[in-house]
């Protein structure tokens, strides 16, 4: 099979990250998620904590505000979050240039849009399943879980829309969009795999 | 396997209708497309020609205008296209009530939204492939083909958005959205089939 660079965007609670990880295992190719953050942090000298936060809130975040009023702004440099985005973009491009891989989140679909053999996936799920997942993951009640999934997805959408000028979750930005509710992680990974294999024929 | 009511919305030139037909053959279940129109026409007494046109232009069409200024409007009845929509909805609901089937177009996903085991698909394709398809199907040149696919999809979107208040092609209205470019009709049908079987487990 020729190279397959697979990007996964996902709603919080859709198990998109886990599905991506399983897919990478099945295809025996690298998987990038937190690894990218770590790599980026090491390469740039920024602390890992900053990178962890930067994914969540591109605009009006504390870090963004700090950067606007901090050294970067006064010296006419880019805001901190934009710097982080640029460094992450470099890491993502470098990872993809090495061959087949799965990359979750971080606008990778947009960053790699000129890459041949790019397969862009968007995974969502029924609200009730996302709430259940959030309860399990965080040990919180249903009301808090409901709030959390709304907030998480708002932040992911804002981050994506801010850096790409595209609309997060708009079908035609992706090769496949699907609702993972009622599917096992294994079956969801097989489903993506079948699509890749059909295209590669 | 339990019943699977599968609706397919598709861009013009994505081969969505053909993929749906192949899927119905594979699953050995009924396929509804032009059949619905014919059934509707026979049942309602409207001529088949009216039904064929009604799918394409819900607003500002000649038929719509005629209906507004014709007998239906002056007697306070519904516009003709709305009547056709209501009759078609009845036929679609009746078809789905009989068990597993594939239904292409005609807002079937929206009409059947309360149906258990509904699987909603949206199929699109790369512009270059849609143009190629339109050239082949209609024996026209590339420029005309390009115009045609834009017009056809505008009409499909307008029809869908008018009758459903939802957005045609918005990922989360469907269970799967996918780009069929570079896939064989057979592989695309298998891809949908795998999803259905994963959900039915």
């Amino acid at each position: 099979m020729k190279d397959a660079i697979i990007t996964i965007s996902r709603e919080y609670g859709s198990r998109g990250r886990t599905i991506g990880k399983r897919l990478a295992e099945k295809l025996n190719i690298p998987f990038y998620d937190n690894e990218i953050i770590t790599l980026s942090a090491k390469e740039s000298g920024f602390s890992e904590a900053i990178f962890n936060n930067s994914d969540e809130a591109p605009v009006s975040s504390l870090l963004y505000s700090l950067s606007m009023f901090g050294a970067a702004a006064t010296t006419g440099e880019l805001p901190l979050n934009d710097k982080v985005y640029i460094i992450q973009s470099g890491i993502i491009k470098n990872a993809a240039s090495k061959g087949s891989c799965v990359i979750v989140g971080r606008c990778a679909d947009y960053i790699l849009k000129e890459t041949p053999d790019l397969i862009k996936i968007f995974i969502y799920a029924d609200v009730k399943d996302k709430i259940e997942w959030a309860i399990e993951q965080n040990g919180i009640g249903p009301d808090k879980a409901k709030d959390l999934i709304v907030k998480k997805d708002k932040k992911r959408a804002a981050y994506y829309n801010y850096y790409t000028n595209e609309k997060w979750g708009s079908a035609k930005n992706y090769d496949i969009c699907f609702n993972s509710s009622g599917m096992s992680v294994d079956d969801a990974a097989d489903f993506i795999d079948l699509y890749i294999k059909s295209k590669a024929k």
Side-chain angles (χ1 to χ4, degrees), chain A:
Chain A
M1 204 181 84
K2 57 182 177 175
D3 280 342
I5 317 295
I6 302 146
T7 63
I8 296 187
S9 305
R10 77 295 183 213
E11 285 188 346
Y12 184 74
S14 70
R15 301 168 303 156
R17 189 192 159 278
T18 315
I19 293 165
K21 198 160 182 357
R22 185 69 52 90
L23 178 66
E25 286 161 8
K26 278 177 190 284
L27 298 173
N28 196 24
I29 60 178
F31 172 77
Y32 299 96
D33 180 20
N34 292 330
E35 283 97 319
I36 293 176
I37 296 175
T38 312
L39 276 172
S40 303
K42 281 182 187 160
E43 192 166 296
S44 67
F46 280 110
S47 90
E48 203 167 319
I50 290 174
F51 275 79
N52 276 319
N53 284 319
S54 74
D55 188 34
E56 300 286 307
V59 185
S60 338
S61 75
L62 177 62
L63 280 165
Y64 188 83
S65 308
L66 280 173
S67 75
M68 290 303 288
F69 296 101
T74 53
T75 57
E77 286 179 21
L78 282 172
L80 184 59
N81 275 12
D82 292 350
K83 280 185 193 168
V84 170
Y85 177 80
I86 289 164
I87 293 164
Q88 285 185 346
S89 299
I91 303 279
I92 287 169
K93 282 178 183 166
N94 187 44
S97 73
K98 291 177 187 159
S100 296
C101 61
V102 175
I103 307 173
V104 173
R106 294 185 179 73
C107 307
D109 58 314
Y110 181 80
I111 291 162
L112 299 174
K113 65 180 189 292
E114 306 300 340
T115 308
D117 311 320
L118 184 66
I119 305 275
K120 299 173 287 179
I121 318 282
F122 184 79
I123 304 179
Y124 42 95
D126 293 346
V127 171
K128 67 172 176 42
D129 295 323
K130 296 194 294 177
I131 291 175
E132 206 173 287
W133 188 88
I135 291 170
E136 271 176 36
Q137 291 290 312
N138 304 288
I140 52 178
D143 288 343
K144 277 203 172 168
K146 205 171 177 180
D147 280 353
L148 186 66
I149 61 169
V150 171
K151 275 182 197 158
K152 283 277 191 183
D153 283 348
K154 267 195 186 167
K155 282 178 181 172
R156 286 182 184 178
Y159 182 81
Y160 187 87
N161 302 348
Y162 176 77
Y163 281 112
T164 69
N165 284 326
E166 301 276 355
K167 207 174 162 317
W168 190 67
S170 176
K172 293 196 63 185
N173 286 345
Y174 307 91
D175 294 289
I176 319 171
C177 307
F178 71 97
N179 182 330
S180 64
S181 283
M183 290 178 106
S184 72
V185 167
D186 224 44
D187 285 345
D190 283 342
F191 176 65
I192 299 171
D193 188 27
L194 182 64
Y195 183 85
I196 297 166
K197 289 197 168 54
S198 300
K199 288 264 195 178
K201 270 184 189 171

